[in-house]
């Protein structure tokens, strides 16, 4: 189901990236991911847009299981 798009930046430890991608694959790649190296060593930033229920479910599960931090981006 479509929902209003909401932009997020995910801050995740490099060692948890494989687990994050596992959940993305498990939820059938519900959104595009853009990986960026932030200025903080040992972390990765992932930009994504949640605009459907599957993407929202994926992001909530990934946050719960990996301990990543979510930041909303103002439109």
């Amino acid at each position: 189901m479509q929902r209003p798009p909401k932009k997020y930046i995910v801050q995740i430890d490099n060692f948890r990236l494989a687990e994050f991608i596992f959940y993305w694959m498990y939820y059938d790649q519900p959104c595009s991911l853009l990986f960026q190296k932030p200025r903080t060593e040992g972390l990765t930033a992932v930009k994504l847009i949640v605009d459907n229920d599957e993407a929202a479910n994926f992001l909530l599960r990934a946050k719960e299981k990996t301990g990543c931090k979510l930041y909303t981006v103002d439109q």
Side-chain angles (χ1 to χ4, degrees):
M1 178 199 271
Q2 289 289 356
R3 54 175 51 212
K6 193 162 189 175
K7 295 180 182 180
Y8 289 94
I9 295 176
V10 176
Q11 178 185 349
I12 188 166
D13 187 284
N14 290 341
F15 294 107
R16 304 304 295 262
L17 275 176
E19 190 177 359
F20 185 83
I21 293 171
F22 167 81
Y23 289 110
W24 181 68
M25 296 292 293
Y26 180 82
Y27 282 91
D28 199 25
Q29 304 170 0
C31 56
S32 296
L33 303 178
L34 175 63
F35 293 87
Q36 291 189 303
K37 181 179 178 179
R39 294 187 179 112
T40 307
E41 189 173 325
L43 297 175
T44 295
V46 183
K47 292 182 178 180
L48 57 96
I49 298 174
V50 171
D51 62 358
N52 61 65
D53 290 343
E54 283 300 305
N57 291 337
F58 147 68
L59 193 54
L60 290 175
R61 173 58 74 90
K63 181 182 184 315
E64 173 187 319
K65 295 296 185 178
T66 67
C68 64
K69 295 181 182 178
L70 300 181
Y71 300 95
T72 56
V73 178
D74 294 329
Q75 305 293 338

